[in-house]
Amino acid sequence: MMEVTSERRGTTVIINTAGRVDGSNASDFQDALEANIGADDTAVILNLAALDYISSAGLRIILLSAKNLRQRDVGFSICSLSSSVHELFIISGFDQIIAIHSSPETALAAQS
Amino acid sequence: MAEATYKILVVDDEVDLQPLMLQRMRRDIRSGRYSFVFAHNGIEALEKLNEDDTIDMVLSDINMPQMDGLTLLEQIPSVDPNIKSVIVSAYGDMKNIRTAMNRGAFDFVTKPLDFADLRITIERTLAHLTEWRAALASRDQLVSLQRELDVASKMQKSILPTRFPQRDDFEVFAHMEPARNVGGDFYDIIQLDGGRLGLCIADVSDKGVPAALFMMSSRTLLKGASIGCENPGDVLREVNDLLRETNDTEMFVTLLYGIYDPATGDFNYANGGHNEPLLIKPDGSSSLIPRTGGIILGVMAGMEFADNTINIGPGDTLFLYTDGVSEAMNVTAEEFGMERLAGIFADTPPSDAEETTMSVFEAVHAFAGETPQSDDITCLTLHRSESGS
């Protein structure tokens, strides 16, 4: 079960993902991310506060999005990771290439 | 029914090789498993390939007069794109091995030739060839994703070693059970000089044939780098950079590689984003080995990988696994988790690599019950004997 919603702060879009992202719904996750990012957005913050679990297939989608957005000069960061999800970002080394913040507010502050 | 005969073209300018090969492989020749054709340089090899379209694989030296092995590799696909090649190179000749791999060699063996090792490499190449042909034959008629995934899973199985070192002073055992819809885990055991042993466990993101192909190249690159580099951190850096060169689908692989030295019990390792292995003491207590902070391979070029060394004492066991173990789920969507894993070893302190490996599979199956397996499960166990030295 996965749910993706979004809210706007100026030209920054905050995308909230809840539930589980794994091999069975990774492509839905990718579609949902793309659908929530507008052509004029200058930054994307992925809020994972309500994310229970993410598998390597889900990590791959985050990586793909981060790279695509970087090419378009759109900022990308993630925030509000649970300790188990944060652990996964540390083990995978993704914390070395993707900015991680403790809350949407600190992520927003870092954008400006 | 007799097994299929495979025809192998051996290309080497050393005249002594032909009688030696025929002598050492005589049983396989007599049984009808292999037949050999010989050429002494690349040009002669291409002539043979043009004349005879029943040749299945090429085993070629690199340095030869008229046309060398690396040039030959470039030419082979224009004769038959489905021939698999194995390169014979000098030990540690990373530059040529790299070039050969980039030009499509399936595998390599090093000089001086160890015929037992060569036979294993030939069998693995032929097994892959069989699956490759099956994949080609079914490519046009794949009626469902499942069919393709079956092919991926067979490709995966064809590259995993099934013979393990079993010595008085230590033993290794490994096993992989694929999930129905995934083909991404692999392990490898690589003989290094000085009696040392390279151990690897890995998990490719994604599933299906693309992931299986990515797994194949990861494994081949790792094998090449493990012989070319002294240090596990350098091995991972090399594999990571080479994977990035040809990776536009953003697939990646978590991979832990370490070198075990039986003389000292030292295990020198580097970790590219893989779950930390467990070190289990003779009393059954266990702990995760220290992190080295490396990133998953295939994500970004130019990354550095730190390494670390732990000592595996007499009676200790090193247990490598993929997240198919720790994240296996039961009917109430609860994860197997690390506590249950540690509990297996606490209840029965490991004394045998195979028993320990299989006991984890039993425990995971018992826990999961009727829940379908959603990810490959792979375990590799190294047990150092209490007394042996």
Coordinates of all heavy atoms in Angstrom, one line a residue, chain A residues 20 22-24 52-61 63-64 67-68 70-71 87-88 90-97, chain B residues 203-207 244 249-252 272-276 291 293-296 298-300 303-304 323 327 329 333 335:
Chain A
R20 N 4.3 1.6 1.9 CA 5.4 0.8 1.5 C 5.7 1.0 0.0 O 4.8 1.0 -0.8 CB 5.1 -0.7 1.6 CG 4.8 -1.2 3.1 CD 4.4 -2.6 3.1 NE 5.4 -3.5 2.3 CZ 6.5 -4.0 2.9 NH1 6.7 -3.8 4.2 NH2 7.3 -4.7 2.2
D22 N 7.9 -1.0 -2.8 CA 8.8 -2.2 -3.1 C 8.7 -2.5 -4.5 O 8.2 -1.8 -5.3 CB 8.4 -3.4 -2.2 CG 7.0 -3.8 -2.3 OD1 6.4 -3.5 -3.4 OD2 6.4 -4.3 -1.4
G23 N 9.2 -3.7 -4.9 CA 9.3 -4.1 -6.3 C 7.9 -4.1 -7.0 O 7.8 -3.9 -8.2
S24 N 6.9 -4.4 -6.1 CA 5.5 -4.6 -6.7 C 4.9 -3.2 -7.2 O 4.0 -3.2 -8.0 CB 4.6 -5.3 -5.7 OG 4.3 -4.4 -4.7
D52 N 6.8 3.6 5.6 CA 7.1 2.5 6.5 C 8.3 1.7 6.0 O 9.1 1.2 6.8 CB 5.9 1.6 6.7 CG 4.7 2.3 7.2 OD1 4.8 3.1 8.1 OD2 3.5 2.0 6.7
Y53 N 8.3 1.5 4.7 CA 9.3 0.6 4.2 C 9.7 1.0 2.7 O 8.8 1.4 2.0 CB 8.8 -0.8 4.2 CG 9.7 -1.8 3.5 CD1 10.8 -2.4 4.1 CD2 9.4 -2.2 2.2 CE1 11.6 -3.3 3.4 CE2 10.2 -3.1 1.5 CZ 11.3 -3.7 2.1 OH 12.1 -4.6 1.5
I54 N 10.9 0.9 2.4 CA 11.3 1.1 1.0 C 12.3 0.1 0.6 O 13.3 -0.2 1.3 CB 11.8 2.5 0.7 CG1 12.0 2.7 -0.8 CG2 13.0 2.9 1.5 CD1 12.1 4.2 -1.3
S55 N 12.1 -0.6 -0.5 CA 13.1 -1.7 -1.0 C 14.1 -1.0 -1.9 O 14.0 0.1 -2.3 CB 12.4 -2.8 -1.7 OG 12.0 -2.4 -3.0
S56 N 15.0 -1.8 -2.4 CA 16.1 -1.3 -3.3 C 15.4 -0.8 -4.6 O 15.9 0.1 -5.2 CB 17.1 -2.4 -3.6 OG 16.6 -3.5 -4.2
A57 N 14.3 -1.5 -5.0 CA 13.6 -1.0 -6.2 C 13.1 0.4 -6.0 O 13.1 1.2 -7.0 CB 12.5 -2.0 -6.5
G58 N 12.6 0.7 -4.8 CA 12.1 2.1 -4.5 C 13.3 3.1 -4.5 O 13.2 4.2 -4.9
L59 N 14.4 2.6 -3.9 CA 15.6 3.5 -3.8 C 16.0 3.9 -5.2 O 16.5 5.0 -5.5 CB 16.8 2.8 -3.1 CG 16.7 2.7 -1.6 CD1 18.0 2.0 -1.1 CD2 16.6 4.1 -1.0
R60 N 15.9 2.9 -6.1 CA 16.3 3.2 -7.5 C 15.5 4.3 -8.1 O 16.0 5.1 -8.9 CB 16.2 1.9 -8.3 CG 16.5 2.0 -9.8 CD 16.7 0.7 -10.5 NE 16.6 0.9 -11.9 CZ 15.5 0.7 -12.6 NH1 14.4 0.3 -12.0 NH2 15.5 1.0 -13.9
I61 N 14.2 4.3 -7.8 CA 13.3 5.3 -8.4 C 13.7 6.7 -7.8 O 13.7 7.7 -8.5 CB 11.8 5.1 -8.0 CG1 11.4 3.7 -8.6 CG2 10.9 6.2 -8.5 CD1 11.6 3.5 -10.1
L63 N 16.7 7.5 -6.8 CA 17.9 7.9 -7.5 C 17.7 8.4 -8.9 O 18.3 9.4 -9.3 CB 18.8 6.6 -7.6 CG 20.1 6.8 -8.3 CD1 21.1 7.6 -7.5 CD2 20.7 5.4 -8.6
L64 N 16.8 7.7 -9.6 CA 16.5 8.2 -11.0 C 15.9 9.6 -11.0 O 16.3 10.4 -11.8 CB 15.4 7.2 -11.6 CG 15.8 6.0 -12.4 CD1 14.6 5.1 -12.7 CD2 16.5 6.5 -13.7
K67 N 18.5 12.2 -10.2 CA 19.4 12.5 -11.4 C 18.7 13.3 -12.5 O 19.3 14.2 -13.1 CB 19.9 11.2 -12.0 CG 20.9 10.5 -11.0 CD 21.8 9.5 -11.7 CE 22.9 9.1 -10.8 NZ 23.8 8.1 -11.4
N68 N 17.4 12.9 -12.8 CA 16.7 13.6 -13.8 C 16.5 15.1 -13.4 O 16.7 16.0 -14.2 CB 15.3 13.0 -13.9 CG 15.3 11.7 -14.7 OD1 16.3 11.5 -15.4 ND2 14.3 10.9 -14.5
R70 N 18.3 16.8 -11.3 CA 19.6 17.5 -11.3 C 20.0 18.0 -12.7 O 20.5 19.1 -12.9 CB 20.7 16.6 -10.8 CG 22.0 17.2 -10.5 CD 23.0 16.3 -9.8 NE 22.5 16.0 -8.5 CZ 22.9 15.0 -7.7 NH1 23.9 14.2 -8.2 NH2 22.4 14.7 -6.5
Q71 N 19.7 17.2 -13.7 CA 19.9 17.5 -15.1 C 19.1 18.7 -15.5 O 19.5 19.5 -16.4 CB 19.6 16.4 -16.1 CG 20.8 15.4 -16.2 CD 20.4 14.2 -17.0 OE1 19.4 14.1 -17.6 NE2 21.4 13.3 -17.2
E87 N 18.4 4.6 8.2 CA 19.5 3.6 8.3 C 19.8 3.0 6.9 O 20.9 2.9 6.5 CB 18.9 2.4 9.2 CG 19.9 1.4 9.5 CD 20.8 1.7 10.7 OE1 20.7 2.9 11.2 OE2 21.6 0.9 11.1
L88 N 18.7 2.8 6.1 CA 18.9 2.3 4.8 C 19.6 3.2 3.9 O 20.5 2.8 3.1 CB 17.5 2.0 4.2 CG 17.4 1.2 2.9 CD1 17.9 -0.2 3.1 CD2 16.0 1.2 2.4
I90 N 21.8 5.3 4.9 CA 23.2 5.4 5.3 C 23.9 4.1 4.8 O 25.0 4.2 4.2 CB 23.3 5.4 6.9 CG1 22.8 6.8 7.3 CG2 24.7 5.2 7.3 CD1 22.6 6.9 8.8
I91 N 23.3 2.9 5.0 CA 23.9 1.7 4.5 C 24.2 1.7 3.0 O 25.2 1.3 2.5 CB 23.1 0.5 4.9 CG1 23.0 0.3 6.4 CG2 23.6 -0.8 4.2 CD1 22.1 -0.8 6.9
S92 N 23.2 2.2 2.3 CA 23.3 2.3 0.8 C 24.3 3.3 0.3 O 24.8 3.3 -0.8 CB 22.0 2.5 0.2 OG 21.5 3.8 0.5
G93 N 24.7 4.3 1.2 CA 25.6 5.3 0.9 C 24.9 6.5 0.1 O 25.5 7.4 -0.3
F94 N 23.6 6.4 0.0 CA 22.8 7.4 -0.8 C 22.8 8.7 0.0 O 22.6 9.8 -0.6 CB 21.4 7.0 -1.0 CG 21.2 6.1 -2.2 CD1 22.3 5.4 -2.7 CD2 20.0 5.8 -2.7 CE1 22.2 4.6 -3.8 CE2 19.8 5.0 -3.8 CZ 20.9 4.3 -4.4
D95 N 23.1 8.7 1.3 CA 23.2 9.9 2.0 C 24.4 10.8 1.6 O 24.5 11.9 1.8 CB 23.3 9.7 3.6 CG 24.6 8.8 3.9 OD1 25.0 8.0 3.1 OD2 25.1 9.0 5.0
Q96 N 25.3 10.1 0.8 CA 26.5 10.8 0.3 C 26.1 11.7 -1.0 O 26.9 12.5 -1.3 CB 27.6 9.9 -0.1 CG 28.2 9.1 1.1 CD 29.1 8.0 0.7 OE1 29.9 8.1 -0.2 NE2 29.0 6.9 1.4
I97 N 25.0 11.3 -1.6 CA 24.7 12.0 -2.9 C 23.4 12.7 -2.9 O 23.0 13.4 -3.8 CB 24.8 11.0 -4.1 CG1 24.0 9.8 -3.9 CG2 26.3 10.6 -4.4 CD1 23.9 8.9 -5.2
Chain B
D203 N 23.5 -8.0 -4.5 CA 22.1 -7.9 -4.7 C 21.8 -6.8 -5.7 O 22.1 -5.6 -5.5 CB 21.4 -7.7 -3.4 CG 19.9 -7.6 -3.5 OD1 19.4 -7.7 -4.7 OD2 19.2 -7.5 -2.5
V204 N 21.4 -7.2 -6.9 CA 21.1 -6.2 -8.0 C 19.7 -5.6 -7.8 O 18.7 -6.4 -7.5 CB 21.2 -6.8 -9.4 CG1 20.8 -5.8 -10.5 CG2 22.6 -7.2 -9.6
S205 N 19.5 -4.3 -7.9 CA 18.1 -3.7 -7.8 C 17.3 -4.3 -8.9 O 17.8 -4.9 -9.7 CB 18.2 -2.2 -7.9 OG 18.7 -1.9 -9.2
D206 N 16.1 -4.1 -9.1 CA 15.3 -4.4 -10.2 C 15.3 -5.9 -10.5 O 15.9 -6.7 -9.8 CB 15.9 -3.7 -11.5 CG 14.7 -3.3 -12.4 OD1 13.5 -3.6 -12.0 OD2 15.0 -2.7 -13.4
K207 N 14.6 -6.3 -11.5 CA 14.3 -7.7 -11.8 C 14.3 -8.0 -13.3 O 14.4 -7.1 -14.1 CB 13.0 -8.2 -11.2 CG 11.8 -7.3 -11.7 CD 10.6 -7.6 -10.9 CE 9.5 -6.7 -11.3 NZ 8.3 -6.9 -10.6
R244 N 29.6 2.1 -14.2 CA 29.0 3.4 -14.5 C 29.2 3.7 -16.0 O 28.3 4.3 -16.6 CB 29.7 4.5 -13.8 CG 29.1 5.0 -12.5 CD 27.6 5.2 -12.5 NE 27.1 6.1 -13.5 CZ 25.8 6.2 -13.7 NH1 24.9 5.5 -13.1 NH2 25.4 7.1 -14.6
T249 N 20.5 2.7 -17.4 CA 19.2 2.4 -16.9 C 19.1 2.6 -15.4 O 18.1 2.3 -14.8 CB 18.9 0.9 -17.1 OG1 20.0 0.1 -16.7 CG2 18.6 0.6 -18.6
E250 N 20.2 3.1 -14.8 CA 20.3 3.4 -13.4 C 20.0 2.1 -12.5 O 19.4 2.2 -11.5 CB 19.4 4.5 -13.0 CG 19.7 5.8 -13.6 CD 21.1 6.3 -13.4 OE1 21.7 5.9 -12.4 OE2 21.6 7.2 -14.2
M251 N 20.5 1.0 -13.0 CA 20.5 -0.2 -12.2 C 21.6 -0.1 -11.2 O 22.6 0.6 -11.5 CB 20.6 -1.4 -13.0 CG 19.2 -2.0 -13.3 SD 19.3 -3.6 -14.1 CE 19.3 -3.0 -15.7
F252 N 21.5 -0.7 -10.1 CA 22.7 -0.7 -9.2 C 22.8 -2.0 -8.5 O 21.9 -2.8 -8.5 CB 22.7 0.5 -8.2 CG 21.4 0.7 -7.4 CD1 21.1 -0.2 -6.4 CD2 20.6 1.7 -7.7 CE1 20.0 0.0 -5.7 CE2 19.5 1.9 -7.0 CZ 19.1 1.1 -5.9
G272 N 30.0 -2.1 -0.6 CA 29.3 -1.1 -1.4 C 27.8 -1.2 -1.1 O 27.1 -1.7 -1.9
G273 N 27.4 -0.6 0.0 CA 26.0 -0.5 0.3 C 25.3 -1.8 0.7 O 24.1 -1.9 0.7
H274 N 26.0 -2.9 1.0 CA 25.4 -4.1 1.3 C 25.1 -4.3 2.8 O 25.8 -3.6 3.6 CB 26.2 -5.3 0.8 CG 25.5 -6.6 0.7 ND1 24.6 -6.9 -0.4 CD2 25.4 -7.6 1.5 CE1 24.1 -8.0 -0.2 NE2 24.5 -8.5 0.9
N275 N 24.1 -5.1 3.2 CA 23.9 -5.4 4.6 C 25.2 -5.9 5.2 O 25.9 -6.8 4.7 CB 22.9 -6.6 4.8 CG 21.6 -6.4 4.0 OD1 21.7 -6.1 2.8 ND2 20.5 -6.5 4.7
E276 N 25.5 -5.4 6.4 CA 26.7 -5.9 7.1 C 26.6 -7.3 7.5 O 25.6 -7.7 8.1 CB 27.0 -5.0 8.4 CG 27.2 -3.6 8.1 CD 26.0 -2.7 8.5 OE1 24.9 -3.3 8.8 OE2 26.2 -1.5 8.6
R291 N 30.9 -1.0 9.7 CA 30.6 -0.4 8.4 C 31.9 0.2 7.8 O 32.8 0.6 8.5 CB 29.6 0.7 8.6 CG 28.2 0.2 8.8 CD 27.2 1.3 9.0 NE 25.9 0.7 9.2 CZ 24.9 1.3 9.8 NH1 25.0 2.6 10.2 NH2 23.8 0.7 9.9
G293 N 31.2 2.3 5.0 CA 30.6 3.6 4.5 C 30.6 3.7 3.0 O 30.4 4.8 2.5
G294 N 30.8 2.6 2.2 CA 30.8 2.7 0.8 C 29.4 2.8 0.2 O 28.4 2.3 0.8
I295 N 29.3 3.5 -1.0 CA 28.0 3.6 -1.6 C 27.7 2.4 -2.5 O 28.6 1.7 -2.9 CB 28.0 4.9 -2.5 CG1 26.6 5.3 -3.0 CG2 29.0 4.8 -3.6 CD1 26.5 6.7 -3.6
I296 N 26.5 2.2 -2.8 CA 26.0 1.1 -3.7 C 26.8 1.3 -5.1 O 27.0 2.4 -5.5 CB 24.5 1.2 -3.9 CG1 23.8 0.8 -2.6 CG2 24.0 0.4 -5.1 CD1 22.3 0.9 -2.7
G298 N 27.5 1.4 -9.1 CA 26.7 1.6 -10.3 C 26.0 2.9 -10.3 O 25.3 3.3 -11.2
V299 N 26.1 3.7 -9.2 CA 25.3 4.9 -9.0 C 26.0 6.1 -9.5 O 25.5 6.9 -10.2 CB 24.9 5.1 -7.5 CG1 24.3 6.4 -7.3 CG2 24.0 4.0 -7.1
M300 N 27.3 6.2 -9.1 CA 28.0 7.4 -9.4 C 29.5 7.1 -9.6 O 30.0 6.4 -8.7 CB 27.8 8.5 -8.3 CG 28.4 9.8 -8.7 SD 28.0 11.0 -7.5 CE 26.4 11.5 -8.1
M303 N 33.7 7.3 -7.0 CA 33.6 7.2 -5.5 C 34.7 6.4 -5.0 O 35.2 5.5 -5.6 CB 32.2 6.6 -5.2 CG 31.0 7.3 -5.7 SD 30.8 9.0 -5.2 CE 30.1 8.7 -3.5
E304 N 35.1 6.7 -3.7 CA 36.1 6.0 -3.0 C 35.5 5.0 -2.1 O 34.4 5.3 -1.6 CB 37.1 6.9 -2.3 CG 37.9 7.8 -3.2 CD 38.9 7.0 -4.0 OE1 39.4 6.0 -3.5 OE2 39.2 7.5 -5.1
D323 N 19.2 -9.1 1.8 CA 18.1 -8.6 2.5 C 16.8 -9.5 2.3 O 15.8 -9.4 3.0 CB 17.7 -7.2 2.2 CG 17.4 -6.9 0.8 OD1 17.4 -7.9 0.0 OD2 17.3 -5.7 0.4
E327 N 14.5 -9.4 5.5 CA 13.2 -8.7 5.2 C 12.1 -9.7 4.7 O 11.1 -9.3 4.2 CB 13.4 -7.6 4.1 CG 14.3 -6.5 4.7 CD 14.6 -5.4 3.7 OE1 14.1 -5.5 2.6 OE2 15.4 -4.5 4.0
M329 N 9.0 -11.9 5.0 CA 7.8 -11.5 5.7 C 6.9 -12.7 6.0 O 6.8 -13.6 5.2 CB 7.0 -10.4 5.0 CG 7.4 -9.1 5.4 SD 6.2 -7.9 4.9 CE 7.2 -7.0 3.8
A333 N 2.7 -9.7 7.8 CA 3.5 -8.6 7.3 C 4.6 -8.2 8.3 O 5.0 -7.0 8.3 CB 2.7 -7.4 6.8
E335 N 8.5 -8.6 9.6 CA 9.8 -9.0 9.0 C 10.5 -10.0 9.9 O 10.5 -9.9 11.1 CB 10.7 -7.7 8.8 CG 10.3 -6.9 7.6 CD 11.2 -5.8 7.3 OE1 12.3 -5.8 8.0 OE2 10.9 -5.0 6.5

